[in-house]
Amino acid sequence: MRRQIPWILIAAATATAVLPPLLSDAQPLPPNPPVQPGTGELTITLSALEARLLPVAIPAFRGSGGDAVSAVVSNDLRLSALFRVLDSRSFTADLDAEGLNINAPSWVGVGATAVVKAQVTGSGDATRIELKVWEPGSPSAPRLTRSYGPGNPRSLAHRIANDLIQLYTRTAGVFGTRIAFARRTGTGRKQIFSVDCDGENLAQVSSGRRLNFTPAWGPGGIYFSSQTPDGFLALFRQGRSEPVLRADGLVMGAAFGGGRMAVVLTRDGNSEIYLASPDGSNLRRLTNDPGADITPVWSPDGSKIAFVSDRSGGPQVYVMDAGGGGQRRVSFQGSYNTGPSWAPDSQTIAYAGRTGGASDIYTVNLAGGAARRLTEGQGNNTDPTYSPDGRLIAFSSSRGGIFLMNQDGLNQQRILPGVAEGLRWEPR
């Protein structure tokens, strides 16, 4: 007999800060935009972003295919919410005469704090790039000179962008990492996909089964729940036909941290969270409540697990110690809060919260304080997931696709059209 999947599990599967200072000594930055107190939450003032960005000029890189490489670098820097990439139509310099050097007054005149130049040679996976980063205010020598390759042009472009971010913030960027998510592919069909965090290289991960959801990054790739022919749900890993974990009842999503797995099972008739080894062995129950406990997520330091439970009525975000103790509710604004994701500090959680008719992205710090609302009046926004460096949050929006924003809700840009659910950013 086929099993009926509980509605709350299906709902979970289908529902769902401040800019770091730029350290260039060439231009001081204004203070952070003010935070205005609200009623039970904090609202981030969406102003002055442009003044906080480092103006950078990126002329088309020299050599065959150089324009495509520089376009990827430019797009990465725009998405980073750290740089303002200047319009190439404003450039007054004689680019052919300059080569990889600069005539500083020409770049000062267009407002460039940094000028990124490169020479591209080779093609395909044999591409090489020679990079020079100049600061017109200090033109005696390049701020950075570096060689890249051989390698794929897009991969090298992401490395350049990450190095530029590190140059000016002391922490490398995350471009080249991927985001996993679920997407409907037809009536009664849902598959797991992954995509580069700039929205390129979309790839289907799951295959052969109709219903797949709750992706998670773990040892060896992406794990996800999938409906088996007998109507159960089992846990699978990409590229493998045999399940990692099949149990009595349903296996509804997993998360990995510190060499351990947290997984949702209904083996005792209710959805509860269990601790296990990554191969599905050594199961031990962590939650024991009449409510449904689902969507566990490990804190980056491995000390805590965030999860969603309806034990207090509607779904809310809870946190417990890695061993199951200290279970406490951390979301209080709104009646329907789901999709927790940890920031790298293991103290801040982003989640989707419904207040009124729409769902928006919030963050809350475990040390206390009101929730911070990052989206508002922009449709339904769900399934937030932090980038590995904590500077960006990807989320799904009814505006039509996967969006990125910085951790203050600024610089919202769509990277991939189409419905996406259960977003999870690849760790590094």
Side-chain angles (χ1 to χ4, degrees), residues 62-404:
R62 300 168 65 85
S64 177
D67 54 346
V69 176
S70 57
V72 174
V73 175
S74 296
N75 187 55
D76 285 352
L77 296 188
R78 290 189 191 98
L79 292 174
S80 76
L82 297 169
F83 295 83
R84 176 164 58 90
V85 180
L86 300 177
D87 190 336
S88 61
R89 293 173 295 185
S90 70
F91 298 167
T92 60
D94 186 336
L95 299 178
D96 288 334
E98 283 188 350
L100 295 188
N101 299 314
I102 64 166
N103 176 31
S106 297
W107 297 103
V108 171
V110 300
T113 298
V115 182
V116 180
K117 291 199 165 189
Q119 175 72 49
V120 179
T121 57
S123 61
D125 290 341
T127 298
R128 295 179 182 272
I129 301 175
E130 297 297 323
L131 178 77
K132 287 187 177 182
V133 180
W134 297 88
E135 292 182 348
S138 304
S140 59
R143 178 72 185 274
L144 176 68
T145 300
R146 189 159 293 172
S147 298
Y148 298 85
N152 175 273
R154 281 188 55 82
S155 296
L156 299 183
H158 291 322
R159 287 176 54 192
I160 290 171
N162 291 340
D163 287 350
L164 290 170
I165 293 170
Q166 183 169 31
L167 177 66
Y168 288 102
T169 70
R170 296 180 184 163
T171 302
V174 297
F175 293 98
T177 57
R178 294 179 67 78
I179 297 170
F181 62 95
R183 167 174 287 181
R184 293 189 184 279
T185 56
T187 303
R189 292 183 178 274
K190 183 177 292 186
Q191 300 294 338
I192 306 299
F193 295 83
S194 68
V195 67
D196 287 351
C197 67
D198 64 345
E200 298 294 328
N201 294 327
L202 178 66
Q204 184 171 323
V205 172
S206 59
S207 62
R209 289 172 294 274
R210 293 173 58 89
L211 184 62
N212 308 275
F213 41 85
T214 60
W217 295 92
I222 299 173
Y223 293 67
F224 52 93
S225 289
S226 182
Q227 190 172 18
T228 59
D230 56 7
F232 286 85
L233 293 177
L235 182 69
F236 289 82
R237 196 185 90 185
Q238 68 177 107
R240 293 194 173 183
S241 59
E242 292 299 314
V244 174
L245 177 61
R246 185 196 299 268
D248 292 339
L250 309 173
V251 183
M252 183 60 194
F256 299 84
R260 296 160 294 180
M261 177 172 71
V263 61
V264 178
L265 304 178
T266 63
R267 63 190 302 182
D268 296 319
N270 188 44
S271 58
E272 303 286 356
I273 298 172
Y274 290 74
L275 187 68
S277 300
D279 63 0
S281 61
N282 303 314
L283 282 168
R284 180 168 70 84
R285 187 166 173 170
L286 296 182
T287 63
N288 188 4
D289 190 273
D293 299 325
I294 58 175
T295 59
V297 187
W298 286 92
S299 63
D301 65 5
S303 67
K304 295 178 284 291
I305 299 172
F307 63 101
V308 173
S309 177
D310 66 354
R311 61 182 66 179
S312 59
Q316 297 289 342
V317 179
Y318 288 73
V319 169
M320 62 181 164
D321 299 334
Q327 297 180 23
R328 62 188 178 99
R329 179 175 166 180
V330 297
S331 70
F332 296 92
Q333 189 72 22
S335 59
Y336 201 101
N337 298 310
T338 60
S341 174
W342 291 92
D345 64 5
S346 294
Q347 290 295 316
T348 305
I349 295 175
Y351 64 92
R354 185 183 299 168
T355 301
S359 180
D360 282 301
I361 307 302
Y362 292 80
T363 61
V364 63
N365 190 283
L366 300 188
R372 304 172 72 202
R373 188 173 190 164
L374 303 188
T375 63
E376 186 172 6
Q378 300 160 302
N380 284 304
N381 303 285
T382 60
D383 299 293
T385 180
Y386 271 102
S387 64
D389 63 358
R391 290 177 173 138
L392 299 173
I393 297 174
F395 62 100
S396 179
S397 178
S398 63
R399 286 170 279 172
I402 297 176
F403 283 69
L404 293 187

